Amino acid sequence: MIPPVDLTIQHEEIAEEVAAGWGEVLARTAFVGGPQVGAFEEAYASYSGVAHCVGVANGTDALELALRALGVGHGDECVLPANSFIATAEAVARAGATPVLVDCDPETFLIDTKAAVAAITERTKAILPVHLYGQIAPVEDLLDQGVPVVEDAAQSQGATRHGKVSGSLGTIAGTSFYPGKNLGAYGDAGAVTTDDASLATKVRLLSQHGSVTKYVHSALGFNSRLDTLQAVVLSAKLRRLSVWNAQRVAAAEYYETLLADVPGVVVPRVLPGNTHVWHLYVVRVQDRDRVHDSMRANGVGAAIHYPTPIHQTAPFATADSFPNAEKLAGEILSLPMFPGITRAQQERVAEVLVGALG
Ligand SMILES: *Cc1c(COP(=O)(O)O)cnc(C)c1O
């Protein structure tokens, strides 16, 4: 079986470093806070080209805290693409605001920025472009609209657009270190990045019970912290992220070579100006469910990200229609993609895909 993601290769590379780092944490039994968290936050801010990084418990919290720091709440609207992971919409709803969905570009799968700008009303308090599958949305179309841009950078650690790194293009960004993300923890974790010192301070305040001084609570907050043990893992992985992302780029190039002339397969398109980091390698095929089943039956763990657009999920169901998102949901197929995937594995994936097309 070729898995959709194989994390064992990454783990082997950092196992000793993690064991040593965790050994120090265990010896001191200091599991919350500590120098490891600060060190990772600093390293990730520097990697992302921003002044501030606040580690939090997961990516959904990162987005919600970013929105709350901006003052988003009841009666407000936030614009986001219909074809994201549901967490983007959850963060908006949990902040008390209304998600306003828009369609995506049919070629890049990224938010249709014209539709997003057209959806702005006097109640719009944020636009959330999602850097889906590992490439940055054309955020420049959304700046200067008088509305803060909150990047959903969960799938794009290390991606760049015109030289700027994911998480540094908007007003503020939320990212996820869920294990399967390009930078993945050994459990849940996330972070907020921004150049705005006052927003960073607000996020930190909200993430630790509305308090910067112990037992002085100046706002209603949360408990959403980055665990010390996760910070150790993330620092070890961050040192290798550029190499691992380069391996994903090489694997994507090889898929393109293998699949370029295969009738019935549309390979993904990279938006000019982008360095794509291939969180996922998503092709389009007709009769997708049958192709998917056949690949799985032949030992290839392809996957679907995501089978249901947000506006067709139970919590966000509307009668609105987003034709591009709906059409894509029926055609997309994520091929196995991870640092360390071998050429032989990729050749097998291509062979099984071609066989499945019939
Ligand atoms: C993973 C992901 C999130 C949420 O991250 P969690 O850490 O799982 O809460 C948000 N948005 C997108 C696009 C994601 O892929």
Side-chain angles (χ1 to χ4, degrees), residues 58-60 63 84-85 87-88 130 152 154-155 176 178 181 189 306:
N58 57 68
T60 314
L63 292 168
S84 183
F85 180 52
T88 322
V130 178
D152 182 335
Q155 301 191 358
S176 164
Y178 178 80
K181 302 286 158 93
Y306 299 92

Side-chain angles (χ1 to χ4, degrees), residues 103-340:
D103 211 347
C104 62
D105 179 277
E107 299 275 307
T108 62
F109 316 131
L110 298 168
I111 186 169
D112 176 340
T113 52
K114 280 207 181 76
V117 170
I120 295 174
T121 70
E122 70 278 5
R123 304 208 301 180
T124 307
K125 291 290 151 54
I127 306 176
L128 293 95
V130 178
H131 305 328
L132 199 69
Y133 305 152
Q135 71 171 328
I136 296 178
V139 171
E140 64 277 4
D141 297 351
L142 306 173
L143 303 173
D144 310 319
Q145 299 294 332
V147 176
V149 171
V150 179
E151 300 172 72
D152 182 335
Q155 301 191 358
S156 56
Q157 291 97 8
T160 65
R161 174 155 187 77
H162 301 305
K164 296 199 90 183
V165 184
S166 170
S168 75
L169 290 92
T171 315
I172 190 167
T175 194
S176 164
F177 304 126
Y178 178 80
K181 302 286 158 93
N182 285 40
L183 181 61
Y186 285 2
D188 282 305
V192 174
T193 54
T194 182
D195 270 328
D196 185 320
S198 91
L199 286 178
T201 303
K202 276 186 202 150
V203 169
R204 198 176 289 286
L205 181 93
L206 291 171
S207 72
Q208 43 195 35
H209 304 292
S211 153
V212 274
T213 308
K214 205 166 188 183
Y215 304 133
V216 179
H217 306 281
S218 57
L220 176 65
F222 297 77
N223 176 1
S224 183
R225 291 179 289 232
L226 174 65
D227 285 336
T228 314
L229 291 170
Q230 301 304 348
V232 169
V233 174
L234 291 168
S235 286
K237 283 197 171 181
L238 182 58
R239 282 189 274 281
R240 293 158 175 89
L241 182 58
S242 297
V243 171
W244 288 340
N245 277 345
Q247 290 175 7
R248 290 176 185 269
V249 170
E253 280 166 7
Y254 196 46
Y255 270 140
E256 177 146 5
T257 307
L258 292 168
L259 298 173
D261 301 324
V262 176
V265 177
V266 182
V267 296
R269 178 166 169 256
V270 181
L271 193 65
N274 274 356
T275 308
H276 199 313
V277 292
W278 303 103
H279 173 57
L280 296 168
Y281 189 88
V282 180
V283 299
R284 283 185 282 156
V285 295
Q286 296 305 309
D287 212 0
R288 192 270 323 279
D289 289 337
R290 193 190 50 74
V291 172
H292 183 212
D293 289 346
S294 160
M295 290 183 78
R296 293 189 73 84
N298 285 287
V300 173
I304 300 163
H305 301 89
Y306 299 92
T308 312
I310 292 174
H311 65 287
Q312 295 178 338
T313 63
F316 299 107
T318 69
D320 296 349
S321 150
F322 303 100
N324 295 338
E326 285 160 29
K327 181 164 181 286
L328 283 172
E331 297 178 353
I332 47 181
L333 188 63
S334 309
L335 304 184
M337 170 55 81
F338 47 89

